[in-house]
Amino acid sequence: MVSFGATKYVKMEILKSSEALIEWRNQWSSATIGFVPTMGAFHLGHLSLMLKSKKDNDKTLASIFVNPTQFNDPKDFIHYPNTIEADIKMLYDLGVDAVFIPEVQDMYPEISIEHFHVPLLTESLEAKMRPGHFDGVITIIRKLFDLARATKVYLGEKDFQQLSIISAWVKKENRSEIIIPCPTHREESGLAMSSRNQRLNAEQLEQAALLYQILNTVKENKFNNTPVEWELWGRSQFAQTPHFRLDYFEIIDAETFGPVADWSDSDQPIAVVAAFLGEVRLIDNMRL
Ligand code: AMP
């Protein structure tokens, strides 16, 4: 239940334009600001980032913007869930200080896309399967970061490649934001929480746990096989399950994104997976 008035929280600012955000930010020029950029349709994963930010900072700012330039598939953009009223209520109940909800026109008075390239990191996996996706991500992240001027930015490990690319970009640009990686929140079945899960029916929600089950099997039995054998095993599991169309299942080094042929090749191997279940594309990963 929303508790309006002064009993619970003083107020949450709803900032609908860049100007409003700049003004809000200027009010808190000497405060530490935690920033949580999102595309809305909140689940507990999003909320865990907000809570962490609230703990660490004087003020917490969230943004909700479904960024058109990062959708390589127009159907995915059209069907992206929109639960804005419920999202605002959740932020209010959590005691988030402000939420930035800009219009597309405000973020993109003209469309000029930034290109950021790091060998392997911006070439492999999601970058390969979703051409242009990370250029769209970096384009919007620069705009949001420049407006928010945050002390710390909270990003989920669920989108591991995105987290790595934004961290690399912050480093390369010598920016002051500290990136805080946050662990993946999962359903009881192990399924990684995702806004796109709202598009799955009850049966698909059960089937979707396969991604976690495969990742977890590799983690628990890691040394029974080589990474390459595990990759073949993982791919064969998807091949035997007709509802899925696998994009990739790989074991890579979490720093370089290079292949891991043998366990001795990497001191931080991570298994990464992306697969379509019906029309919905799911991604997940697990450090091994
Ligand atoms: P999105 O709205 O999907 O762009 O996600 C906003 C932020 O929440 C990103 O930093 C995501 O990595 C993070 N996130 C998404 N799903 C989860 C999850 N299940 N657990 C933790 N963080 C998540």
Side-chain angles (χ1 to χ4, degrees), residues 112-116 132 134-140 142-143 169 173:
S112 139
I113 302 296
E114 178 161 351
H115 301 285
F116 176 62
F134 288 120
D135 287 338
V137 168
I138 287 297
T139 300
I140 194 65
R142 180 189 292 282
K143 291 169 193 274
W169 175 80
E173 298 260 323

Side-chain angles (χ1 to χ4, degrees), residues 125-126 129-130 194 196 199 247-248 274-283:
L125 308 171
E126 291 298 285
M129 302 314 299
R130 303 182 65 191
S194 165
R196 289 183 176 87
R199 297 181 56 205
D247 265 357
Y248 57 78
F276 277 94
L277 178 52
E279 297 240 298
V280 180
R281 190 167 180 277
L282 305 168
I283 63 170

Side-chain angles (χ1 to χ4, degrees), residues 36-40 42-46 48-49 70 80 154-159 162 182-186 192-196:
V36 187
T38 80
M39 298 202 297
F42 290 157
H43 48 71
L44 290 177
H46 291 113
S48 70
L49 272 56
Q70 72 186 64
Y80 201 83
Y154 295 79
L155 298 175
E157 287 171 349
K158 156 87 174 16
D159 300 285
Q162 169 175 279
C182 302
T184 302
H185 255 62
R186 298 180 179 280
M193 290 184 182
S194 165
S195 304
R196 289 183 176 87

